[in-house]
Amino acid sequence: MAGKHAHLPNMSQPRKTRLEKLLATAASIIAFTFTCRLSIFTQNSLGLFTFSEPLFMLSALLLGPIPGMLVGGIGFTLSNFLLGYPHYIIASSMANASAGFLIGKFNQTKQPHQLIGIASTMILIFLSTLIGTTIYVGQVYIGFTKKLFMGEEVMKAGGLYAYRLYVPPWFWITFAALTATISILTSLRKSPKHLWATTSLLVGCMTITTVFFLYEVILIPTLFNIKVDAATNIIVNLGHSIISATIAAITYWLIKWFSR
């Protein structure tokens, strides 16, 4: 009798996937050494945004909870060390490691609720427009940190190259329309389930804001004898988190849109 050949599972595929995730995680962490030096800030100091944050959130969406946790924890620890903010290493690593894990975990939900995903997308678009038109508007600066380890003294020491530009309110309205258009097209062309990413990102934003607030109220005065306006920093932390989440969502949808 001719025996039937059993099809054995390809054991190399999971290994290849793990290796790809490991390499992508390492590449994202290494990229922090450059992206953390690129920032957007405003004169009133309420707006402070670095390009490492969208990279971190996108990594969590694409790679999952453990890589997201590693990129958030190690990446932001490295960036705070390089930029000269050692008193924020604990908070940043805790907040972003937790957020990275939750973003990746929530985004792996097997049967995401489509209505929650749509509602989260609408909330994210509304918040990014509100934050953009109230904080990141008018005279805005794009900066590149030339001198490391300077902390808050970097501007006094001439260690920051800044380019000033004027951002009108209509920029953020156009940005909101673009975000809505890409979300709708991704939902129609691929699947509405991809909108669930905004739910994951909002969970991450709330985690980052909450951890930083508790750290600034409880730990930083005790450990470093530094007084911080934690209430005002809620606006700062939530603001740059929402803008970062919106950029990460757009990039994520475009990747899903053009993927096979």
Side-chain angles (χ1 to χ4, degrees), residues 7-18:
H7 293 282
L8 297 176
N10 187 357
M11 300 301 293
S12 63
Q13 190 61 33
R15 292 181 181 178
K16 182 179 179 182
T17 302
R18 286 196 294 268

Side-chain angles (χ1 to χ4, degrees), residues 193-256:
K193 70 179 183 179
H194 294 311
L195 300 185
W196 180 258
T198 55
T199 305
S200 307
L201 290 167
L202 286 175
V203 170
C205 291
M206 295 305 299
T207 302
I208 291 170
T209 305
T210 302
V211 172
F212 267 102
F213 175 74
L214 294 175
Y215 178 79
E216 290 175 342
V217 169
I218 301 171
L219 291 181
I220 198 169
T222 305
L223 297 177
F224 300 97
N225 196 28
I226 298 175
K227 293 183 178 180
V228 179
D229 188 351
T232 300
N233 281 348
I234 290 177
I235 300 174
V236 177
N237 293 320
L238 183 61
H240 64 64
S241 296
I242 290 294
I243 298 298
S244 300
T246 308
I247 296 173
I250 292 173
T251 309
Y252 177 77
W253 291 330
L254 289 174
I255 291 173
K256 292 299 180 180

Side-chain angles (χ1 to χ4, degrees), residues 60-61 64-65 98-113 116 120 193 195-204 207 252:
L61 288 174
S98 301
F101 181 85
L102 291 174
I103 291 171
K105 194 67 176 178
F106 268 78
N107 204 47
Q108 288 183 343
T109 302
K110 296 186 182 299
Q111 294 181 333
H113 200 293
I116 295 178
S120 297
K193 70 179 183 179
L195 300 185
W196 180 258
T198 55
T199 305
S200 307
L201 290 167
L202 286 175
V203 170
T207 302
Y252 177 77

Side-chain angles (χ1 to χ4, degrees), residues 41-48 127-140 167 172 232 234-240 243:
F41 56 95
T42 59
Q43 289 180 321
N44 59 14
S45 75
L46 289 178
L48 180 59
L127 289 177
S128 64
T129 307
L130 178 63
I131 291 166
T133 54
T134 55
I135 298 178
Y136 294 93
V137 71
Q139 297 295 335
V140 177
V167 178
W172 293 105
T232 300
I234 290 177
I235 300 174
V236 177
N237 293 320
L238 183 61
H240 64 64
I243 298 298

